[in-house]
Amino acid sequence: MTITDVQTQVEDIAQALVLLDPTDTAGVVELGEQLASLTEILREGGRETEAVAAENAAALAAGCAGGDEVPAAVIAALSQAVEAVQICLEQPDPPTEEGAEIAESDTVTERPEGLTLSQLVDEDIVAEFLSRQTDALGDVEKLILAFESDDAGESMQELKRWFHTLKGESGLLGLTDMSEVCHATEDMIQAEPPAICVDRLLGVLDWLLSCFEYLEEKGPQPASAEELAVVLRTPLEADPDTVAEADAEVVIELAEEEAPEADVESGEIVEPEPEAAPVELPQVILPDYAGKNLLEGDVSLLQDFIGESHEHLEASEAHLLEIESDSQAIEPLNAVFRGFHTIKGLAGFAELDHIQELAHKAENLLDMARKGELDLSGGSMDLVFESVDMMKRLVEGVVEALASNGHPDEVDALPSLVARLIAATEGAPVAAAPAPALDAEPSPEAAPAKSGFVPLSNMKKPAAGSSGFVPLSNMKKAAPTAPTPPAATAKPAGKSAAAVKVKEAVRVDAERLDRLIETIGEMVIAESMVSQNQELRDGMSVKLAKDLDHLDKISRELQEIGMSLRMVPVRPVFQKMARLVRDLAKKTGRKVEFAMAGEDTELDKNVVDKIGDPLVHMVRNAVDHGLEPTNEERVTAGKPEAGKVTLRAFHKGGNICIEIEDDGRGLPRDKILAKAIERGLVREGDNLSDRDINNLIFEPGFSTAKEVTDISGRGVGMDVVRRNIEELRGTCEITSTPGQGSRFSIKLPLTLAIIEGMVISCGSEHYIVPTLSVVRLVRPSMNDISMVFDRGEMLAFEDEHLPLFRLGRLFGVEASKHDVEDAVVVVVEEEGRKMGLLADDLLGQQSIVIKSLGESMQDTEGVAGGAIMSDGNVALILDVAGLVRVAHASSSIVEPVDEVADEADDAAVSEMETGLPADVDPADEPTD
Amino acid sequence: MSTDILAATLAKPGKYLSFVLGREEYGLEILKVQEIIGIMDVTRVPRTPSYVRGVINLRGRVIPVVDLRSKFQMPTIEDTEKTCVIVVQVTQGDLTVTMGVIVDEVSEVLSFTQEQIEAAPSFGGGMDEAEYITGMGKLGKKVVILLDADRVLKGEELEAVAQAAQ
């Protein structure tokens, strides 16, 4: 029998267990038989640990025979054991002791001492564990330090995950002391404002290190874990009564099969004594967060939920910001309340109990604010913001779960947030609200949320807590890993209710939309092919011409509609920036006024999605670098105390412009120049325009910041900005006035699918140059063109000299016009560098639907894609940046001279030949 | 290319689209063939290997076309009215890519049984193209050279295209 077969069998048992009726004792006995046979199979397969677990479970089940009802605790214990077997089977390497451990906690009496390794544990496993964890300590330390400077959730989550894992692993190895300390640490991380506990975390780390050393027999026995744990626990305001009560409940339920445990170490620490027994549970069922499989539910319902909740969350955030600026505003508060309420409802339909729970708690808080019982400001406001963030994360988790295995990740910060929400509502009359939430049938991943309404101190083992005392009726909902639909389709009523909801918009699969737009594009091409057909034109009647015109009009309209389908307002992105500015201002202690304009401007969905990142960097820069570092400095400079950052979007000449403006110090021209010289980007004495200097900040790794803060200063940001904007085929310009502020203007195409292009011909081929990169078209005279060393041609353009490349030569196409004076030069600009492209003729300008050349040709240098022309042929779209590289590759045959020197020579030569001043600007020359 | 590898990829019995290239007849697995179209104007793409004739517009899609003559290092000839583009779908890694191959003439669809397919003879060194051959189909006196479309249109060759382009 293969592992998969065994797994299937175990899964069957797990499933049966979930669906088990508590009155069906016969069913349990039957299960016991199945487990017994499983035990044998496992034994034969040499999987002793799993076999032991299964055997114990079988004995447990057999013990139920004859009774009227199966105690819920027995079922819980059984499912844990089965789950453990499942987990063990899934992780063949290293052969974990989990199964045996589980069984032990259920039936076996003996417990290992605090820092004595469990007898069951293989030496190799210990060695592996020690070396891995000792190595990890360094990283963890870094994390803790990062945590000190950055209380953003990321490092905290990582830290928490690490301690959680270590807790589980050490528990597994029988190192109860270590596991207890990790546990306490975990509690501390999630329950406390982070800044306070950094020292303690480091203390824990040191202790762990000494433990590892001790275990490796390299060091003395570490200090007692008890003291440490007590210290760790002190800030937690434990409510001993409730703890005792809740734990007692578990203990009573489990009492039948739990022999009194001699859990020496952990039991004594801070918990009231009944704690002892269940302490082991969290350690063994650690991978529990696998949760229920969302894919088994109604996926479309979940998708609706995701879409809608996103909208509500975005809107809520905007309203919250409004409230913050005007705390008397009632309408936005109501709107936020409604948003949370709706999410709560939707989450309920979608059976996302953890989200429902959070929404519910936040709603309670908002309700109080609405009724005037609570002033929504400061801490409580932050709490609401945090809830919005958490909600986003949870929704994100659902999205990810749907995309992967269907199991949402456990979000560690959730319980503490819920707890704090409750704490915030507590004391007020509404605080009674948590009660109904008990009906919210916690699924395993919702378990942490559930433990939110027991006092903090009891939250130490959220997962175990819930699986310990979840009533049996709820077990059906929970369906830990049951792969069957019955568990998931349990709520048909909920589904229909959601479907009935009237929507103003139709949600369409983006892929389908793309296909529609593509087909419209094809149709437009086909239409123009027909109407330009020569045969048709020769014998064209007035009627036909009219009809064709009509068709032309319709297809154009259709194309416009098609394009507009993809258009979405930039509002959501802008709103994120509003939030960012708020957070940054808080963090840096500055006063920042944030204004937005034109947030209804519509952009292609792809563009909106991709513009977020660069905007974040630019807004950060505006706040952190642009504005004066302190409010006082602003006042001294005669400006209002609050710095002003403005974000606006508007249409301009077929493009979209997004501007970020601040009224800060402006770009420090001298500093940038000095830095650039230091880094060898420019030379001293180079004649650089303000624009050139400003553009230097886009160089990778360029930063004038003396100090790298957690907000900015590493010099990565602006490089990212430039790259992202280029990807969107946009441009970015900086204008800056010292002392008065700076403005970043991003110019973007309306859509990514269509570009405006100039069609040029070269020999028999047609090429398209994106209009965005065309500076001017010139008909050159011989006087404008000068040769350099017989290999490079230069074009005098305005007061610059540009390198001139013959398109035909670059592409190996025979040009039809050999006389330069007959040809046209397209002056193109890329990254602020201009160059001339010599082509035969300009054929016109038109909108072009970009087509990929296919995977195999995607990377062809100098070609950005293809377009289907009105004659049905394909024309290539030129990629100007790539062309520059091609041109350089082909012209560098002669001699790879130092670039700047080369250019100086060029300039000298051109001066000699043309008598024109050699004012060639190195920055205007293409460089590799 | 060693015979081991050829043996491993010996052509499967089934239907093949046969086409003419020079004096010989070749076969492509029919399941790979999407359609056959007459030759049309091909847009040259610069900086690609010589056997890539360029790109064509296949009902709104831009697909690359490969000149099989030039790919197999046979002398190129002027297109005739019989010149065809066989549109094939080849797998490149995880992707299915649509490409065109230009051949002199498309003849017919032939069925080969296992017995009618023979392993390709070894041509010794110096003939890289032999690796594209999956077998020799025999029908009476006619011998059809069966090709592996995936290999002809993919493999290192097209990666080389991408690399050359960079």
Side-chain angles (χ1 to χ4, degrees), chain A residues 292-349:
Chain A
K292 74 172 168 190
N293 192 341
L294 294 174
L295 291 172
E296 287 156 13
D298 188 335
V299 173
S300 68
L301 198 62
L302 286 171
Q303 276 163 346
D304 280 355
F305 168 77
I306 291 161
E308 293 216 13
S309 56
H310 265 308
E311 271 171 29
H312 287 297
L313 289 172
E314 297 293 344
S316 298
E317 202 159 68
H319 289 309
L320 285 174
L321 290 168
E322 235 176 281
I323 299 170
E324 206 174 38
S325 57
D326 174 15
S327 57
Q328 297 308 308
I330 294 298
E331 193 32 52
L333 184 57
N334 284 336
V336 177
F337 180 79
R338 277 197 301 272
F340 274 76
H341 188 75
T342 314
I343 291 172
K344 185 180 79 172
L346 289 171
F349 285 139

Side-chain angles (χ1 to χ4, degrees), chain A residues 522 765 767 810-813 851-857 859-861 863 866-868 872-876 886 889, chain B residues 41-48 52 54-57 59-64 92 95-97 99 158 161-162 165-166:
Chain A
E522 281 170 34
E765 301 291 327
Y767 298 102
L810 285 184
F811 281 180
V813 175
K851 305 265 176 180
S852 148
L853 289 187
E855 289 74 7
S856 51
M857 289 181 161
D859 301 323
T860 308
E861 194 102 296
V863 177
I868 293 165
N873 280 340
V874 182
L876 300 178
V886 172
Chain B
D41 283 346
V42 180
T43 303
R44 288 174 45 200
V45 180
R47 306 172 65 77
T48 47
V52 177
V55 288
I56 56 163
N57 165 21
R59 290 188 307 279
R61 282 183 71 190
V62 176
I63 63 162
Q92 298 191 348
L95 297 165
T96 306
V97 179
M99 290 180 106
L158 279 173
V161 178
Q166 271 163 20

Side-chain angles (χ1 to χ4, degrees), chain A residues 514-826:
Chain A
D514 285 345
R515 246 171 52 212
L516 174 72
I517 294 167
E518 204 170 284
T519 318
I520 292 174
E522 281 170 34
M523 198 205 69
V524 172
I525 292 162
E527 186 266 338
S528 73
M529 277 169 76
V530 172
S531 56
Q532 284 178 21
N533 183 309
Q534 206 48 51
E535 283 170 51
L536 209 59
R537 280 180 174 270
D538 288 345
M540 180 104 72
S541 69
V542 181
K543 171 100 172 66
L544 181 60
K546 240 169 119 186
D547 289 350
L548 278 177
D549 272 354
H550 189 53
L551 179 65
D552 186 58
K553 206 178 130 207
I554 292 172
S555 61
R556 245 171 243 287
E557 209 166 295
L558 198 56
Q559 192 172 22
E560 264 167 42
I561 295 170
M563 285 308 140
S564 73
L565 288 179
R566 287 202 61 91
M567 295 298 185
V568 293
V570 290
R571 183 189 295 276
V573 182
F574 274 31
Q575 256 158 26
K576 267 183 212 132
M577 298 308 133
R579 175 71 195 277
L580 180 70
V581 171
R582 174 193 182 270
D583 290 354
L584 287 177
K586 280 222 158 166
K587 199 181 273 182
T588 56
R590 296 174 220 208
K591 283 197 178 162
V592 184
E593 218 174 86
F594 183 73
M596 300 192 278
E599 60 265 45
D600 284 322
T601 312
E602 290 191 327
L603 264 171
D604 188 294
K605 178 100 172 52
N606 292 340
V607 182
V608 171
D609 288 347
K610 285 187 188 146
I611 196 69
D613 268 6
L615 278 185
V616 167
H617 287 293
M618 294 168 99
V619 168
R620 271 167 181 247
N621 271 331
V623 176
D624 200 36
H625 292 321
L627 295 180
E628 288 79 356
T630 56
N631 297 333
E632 293 74 43
E633 205 168 306
R634 285 186 63 86
V635 178
T636 326
K639 295 184 197 175
E641 196 189 1
K644 192 165 176 158
V645 175
T646 314
L647 188 59
R648 59 176 89 85
F650 53 90
H651 285 263
K652 191 177 170 190
N655 291 310
I656 293 279
C657 291
I658 296 177
E659 286 185 355
I660 297 145
E661 197 175 347
D662 64 71
D663 66 345
R665 294 170 289 184
L667 289 177
R669 192 194 143 102
D670 298 340
K671 264 201 222 165
I672 294 175
L673 197 57
K675 189 82 182 177
I677 291 168
E678 182 193 315
R679 290 200 43 201
L681 294 169
V682 293
R683 293 182 160 203
E684 213 151 339
D686 277 343
N687 180 19
L688 296 173
S689 66
D690 281 356
R691 209 187 116 182
D692 299 328
I693 293 176
N694 290 343
N695 280 337
L696 283 171
I697 68 167
F698 288 121
E699 290 298 325
F702 194 94
S703 172
T704 58
K706 285 190 208 78
E707 228 174 288
V708 174
T709 67
D710 58 321
I711 300 172
S712 47
R714 269 173 240 276
V716 185
M718 293 314 280
D719 179 36
V720 172
V721 168
R722 181 166 71 179
R723 254 184 295 129
N724 283 5
I725 291 174
E726 272 171 16
E727 233 169 77
L728 294 168
R729 293 200 309 273
T731 56
C732 183
E733 288 220 8
I734 309 168
T735 37
S736 166
T737 322
Q740 291 187 20
S742 34
R743 183 171 68 215
F744 292 77
S745 315
I746 305 172
K747 201 159 85 174
L748 294 167
L750 271 173
T751 160
L752 291 180
I754 291 190
I755 56 162
E756 279 295 312
M758 296 221 172
V759 187
I760 55 174
S761 72
C762 185
S764 55
E765 301 291 327
H766 292 177
Y767 298 102
I768 293 154
V769 189
T771 309
L772 205 65
S773 39
V774 175
V775 180
R776 190 173 301 177
L777 287 157
V778 203
R779 223 176 254 286
S781 77
M782 235 14 226
N783 291 336
D784 297 335
I785 294 176
S786 45
M787 292 289 276
V788 180
F789 296 148
D790 263 355
R791 65 181 165 93
E793 280 176 301
M794 296 215 304
L795 173 78
F797 174 74
E798 292 176 345
D799 49 359
E800 297 172 46
H801 279 84
L802 311 179
L804 181 67
F805 300 108
R806 292 176 189 239
L807 199 55
R809 271 187 213 163
L810 285 184
F811 281 180
V813 175
E814 182 73 26
S816 56
K817 289 179 181 165
H818 299 284
D819 191 347
V820 174
E821 296 205 334
D822 286 342
V824 287
V825 172
V826 186

Side-chain angles (χ1 to χ4, degrees), chain A residues 108-136:
Chain A
V108 182
T109 51
E110 139 201 47
R111 284 240 53 84
E113 287 266 334
L115 269 182
T116 318
L117 287 164
S118 162
Q119 309 288 308
L120 297 158
V121 178
D122 190 288
E123 268 175 39
D124 291 345
I125 297 175
V126 180
E128 194 265 350
F129 166 79
L130 286 176
S131 74
R132 188 159 41 88
Q133 296 300 357
T134 316
D135 286 350

